[in-house]
Amino acid sequence: MSHKVILVMLDGLNYQVARHALGHLQAFCAAGRAALYKLECELPALSRPLYETILTGITPIDSGIVNNDVVRLSSGSSVFHYARSAGLKTAAAAYHWISELYNRAPFDAGRDRHTSDASLPIQYGHFYYADHYPDSHLFADAESLRRVHQPDFLLVHPMNIDDAGHKHGLDSSQYRNSARSADVLLANYLQRWLDDGYQILVTADHGMNNDRSHNGLLPEEREVPLFVLGDAFSLSANAQPSQLQLCGTICELLSAHHDKPVCRELLK
Ligand SMILES: [Zn+2]
């Protein structure tokens, strides 16, 4: 059975803050309609390398996307590629590095900010390039793509939590409040997405530290949440998913052929 999937990647959201600050998502968990897992991100705990890890199931040392300054197309196969090979429709509302990894590099705002090209791995996209681009606008961008194109796979990737962490650090009201704001925004969409038949994963690339950065092995930099919602998930407390299994597990949900590791226990 094939499903439509929405992947929400809340950039820079640490697990402990996700656990206590995301009240709407935790209400789904308390009602037995979602489950929260703890993932340990691959290394280094940096954005561009881990976008590639999440979307291709390949570690940064193997992908070659080893830091944020590597500006080139991914040489791996991503969820977007597997979905396209299966004849599925793809879309993303995301930071411009996602466009650079899977569509075209370097990013040319006039050409790439709004993308509509059925021949590209990400066929429909709205890509932003300011870290303070409001999450409220980003979620609206994503919802617009969803309503207009009805993609089988949609990536939703807001940046304000990471931006607050770089300005104020992990242990700050600004960082925690930006996580709470993302949850309030998600509350506008989650039930609608579920009612339209989407399976939903909400995760983060990496966490945040008190030095207003992230790269290494501190638990607060490395531990990130994975919430799953939808009737294709087992919600089993025994599942132990890893970041490397997200790509393959999403492809299983899409019924798209792939050759990546899967967390079977996450699925029914
Ligand atoms: Zn960051």
Side-chain angles (χ1 to χ4, degrees):
M1 159 121 190
S2 103
H3 303 276
K4 298 185 290 181
V5 177
I6 294 176
L7 171 63
V8 180
M9 192 163 67
L10 299 171
D11 205 288
L13 178 59
N14 152 271
Y15 174 79
Q16 294 300 339
V17 173
R19 201 177 53 77
H20 74 65
L22 305 184
H24 185 73
L25 273 164
Q26 286 287 23
F28 272 99
C29 293
R33 296 182 219 165
L36 168 62
Y37 303 95
K38 186 197 288 182
L39 304 185
E40 191 167 67
C41 79
E42 295 301 315
L43 292 172
L46 288 173
S47 286
R48 196 190 301 249
L50 296 177
Y51 302 163
E52 172 78 343
T53 291
I54 289 170
L55 289 161
T56 67
I58 300 171
T59 60
I61 53 170
D62 285 335
S63 72
I65 308 293
V66 291
N67 65 37
N68 288 334
D69 301 325
V70 179
V71 179
R72 63 164 170 80
L73 281 175
S74 164
S75 54
S77 293
S78 71
V79 176
F80 299 109
H81 296 90
Y82 295 122
R84 290 294 303 120
S85 293
L88 301 177
K89 204 183 281 187
T90 59
Y95 199 56
H96 66 297
W97 293 354
I98 296 290
S99 176
E100 287 184 327
L101 280 167
Y102 307 111
N103 273 1
R104 291 181 285 230
F107 184 77
D108 176 338
R111 179 192 60 186
D112 302 324
R113 168 152 169 65
H114 302 293
T115 292
S116 177
D117 183 338
S119 71
L120 289 171
I122 307 172
Q123 297 173 297
Y124 305 102
H126 297 303
F127 299 102
Y128 62 97
Y129 42 95
D131 292 16
H132 58 279
Y133 183 71
D135 285 1
S136 57
H137 292 44
L138 184 281
F139 277 106
D141 291 344
E143 180 64 0
S144 171
L145 290 168
R146 195 186 71 84
R147 288 201 213 174
V148 173
H149 301 291
Q150 284 118 34
D152 299 286
F153 176 62
L154 170 65
L155 172 66
V156 185
H157 175 217
M159 188 60 73
N160 291 170
I161 299 169
D162 185 70
D163 190 44
H166 286 297
K167 288 171 176 158
H168 306 284
L170 169 73
D171 187 14
S172 69
S173 58
Q174 291 92 340
Y175 179 77
R176 289 186 290 268
N177 282 335
S178 90
R180 293 173 181 123
S181 296
D183 179 75
V184 170
L185 288 165
L186 268 170
N188 294 322
Y189 300 106
L190 287 177
Q191 191 59 53
R192 200 183 310 174
W193 294 348
L194 291 167
D195 290 344
D196 282 351
Y198 282 91
Q199 308 300 312
I200 305 168
L201 302 91
V202 181
T203 190
D205 46 354
H206 54 72
M208 184 61 61
N209 64 34
N210 271 327
D211 298 330
R212 295 180 290 175
S213 67
H214 47 83
N215 182 61
L217 282 75
L218 293 173
E220 57 267 37
E221 295 172 76
R222 240 190 137 172
E223 291 174 2
V224 295
L226 172 65
F227 290 90
V228 297
L229 306 84
D231 55 17
F233 292 105
S234 67
L235 310 183
S236 165
N238 297 323
Q240 293 184 302
S242 79
Q243 198 169 41
L244 287 172
Q245 295 169 326
L246 291 175
C247 169
T249 304
I250 292 168
C251 288
E252 290 290 313
L253 288 165
L254 294 167
S255 291
H257 179 74
H258 69 95
D259 53 2
K260 299 295 166 59
V262 174
C263 183
R264 301 273 168 207
E265 301 72 32
L266 210 51
L267 306 174
K268 266 186 186 159

